[in-house]
Amino acid sequence: MAITLMPLPYAPDALQPAISADTLNTHHGKHHKTYVDKTNQAIAGTALADHSLEQIIAATRTSDKKVFNQAAQTWNHGFYWASLSPESTKPSADLAAAISSAFSSHQDMVEQLITQGAEHFGSGWVWLVSKAGELAIEATHDAGQPEGEDANPLLVLDVWEHAYYLDRKQDRKAYLKAVSGKIDWQFASENFARQSRWTYPR
Ligand code: FE2
């Protein structure tokens, strides 16, 4: 079964002014779609053709970087759309307690997310990750994802230039500041409660 282009969970203009409709349409309709198409081209007629996206990522992580990059970028973008919301949301009591134990405050955690994303060299992603219940911020390069059995990503922000260039030129930090106000804390709380990775819709 082919990997699908996960629909945006909101209208393309719903995150304005943090992210413009122009950026979301291009990011989703061109960039994300290209990763999906290239993943499908790569797996067609192979043993991976009927696998889930998560299985394709696991099977290629160390053995086939070319396929891994397309598949992991497909997953990362779906997870990114789901990490954002036009609604005002709050962490659950459990997630708020974990944030308080790992950071000096909720605001401190958000600032570290912005700083690590802004200072990350080159293309990649900045994640809030739960590792056996302990929260940490982690930046990964290119299509990279938090690795390890016990690493459960709670949310991600895209720091590839294509995520902000149309709106903010090279000012990644301005994008991160704006988009950090659009994080879907309910989604992060659901991921934290589940204690296993979100799965890309089939
Ligand atoms: Fe992206």
Side-chain angles (χ1 to χ4, degrees):
M1 200 166 77
I3 304 300
T4 57
L5 176 63
M6 174 182 145
L8 278 179
Y10 28 74
D13 62 356
L15 302 180
Q16 294 190 125
I19 304 178
S20 70
D22 192 18
T23 289
L24 265 195
N25 279 324
T26 305
H27 199 171
H28 178 257
K30 305 279 184 206
H31 293 279
H32 190 188
K33 182 176 185 301
T34 300
Y35 294 125
V36 172
D37 290 347
K38 289 192 172 175
T39 302
N40 283 324
Q41 285 162 20
I43 61 172
T46 76
L48 296 174
D50 289 330
H51 285 41
S52 68
L53 186 58
E54 288 77 14
Q55 289 170 324
I56 296 165
I57 291 167
T60 57
R61 177 175 280 119
T62 55
S63 61
D64 192 340
K65 267 293 179 229
K66 217 171 144 187
V67 180
F68 169 81
N69 285 338
Q70 302 299 337
Q73 282 294 81
T74 297
W75 194 97
N76 292 356
H77 280 89
F79 192 68
Y80 172 57
W81 311 133
S83 295
L84 302 177
S85 172
E87 312 296 331
S88 177
T89 57
K90 284 201 166 96
S92 65
D94 284 351
L95 179 55
I99 289 169
S100 298
S101 115
F103 303 92
S104 55
S105 65
H106 183 90
Q107 191 53 33
D108 170 48
M109 177 267 302
V110 171
E111 277 166 18
Q112 288 194 39
L113 198 63
I114 294 168
T115 304
Q116 285 207 36
E119 292 177 353
H120 181 70
F121 185 77
S123 296
W125 301 86
V126 62
W127 311 77
L128 180 65
V129 188
S130 167
K131 291 190 172 177
E134 295 284 316
L135 301 193
I137 288 166
E138 188 175 325
T140 58
H141 285 281
D142 302 326
Q145 304 180 327
E147 289 183 22
E149 286 284 304
D150 64 348
N152 180 25
L154 305 186
L155 66 92
V156 75
L157 298 178
D158 190 340
V159 298
W160 282 62
E161 209 171 64
H162 66 224
Y164 56 88
Y165 192 80
L166 290 175
D167 295 343
R168 317 215 175 240
K169 296 290 189 281
Q170 75 285 5
D171 195 347
R172 185 191 284 177
K173 192 164 190 177
Y175 149 74
L176 285 166
K177 276 187 183 169
V179 83
S180 66
K182 298 291 178 188
I183 289 172
D184 188 342
W185 290 105
Q186 196 181 320
F187 177 68
S189 301
E190 286 161 13
N191 292 327
F192 186 64
R194 193 187 324 104
Q195 298 184 0
S196 63
R197 286 192 189 219
W198 174 83
T199 51
Y200 189 90
R202 292 197 84 167

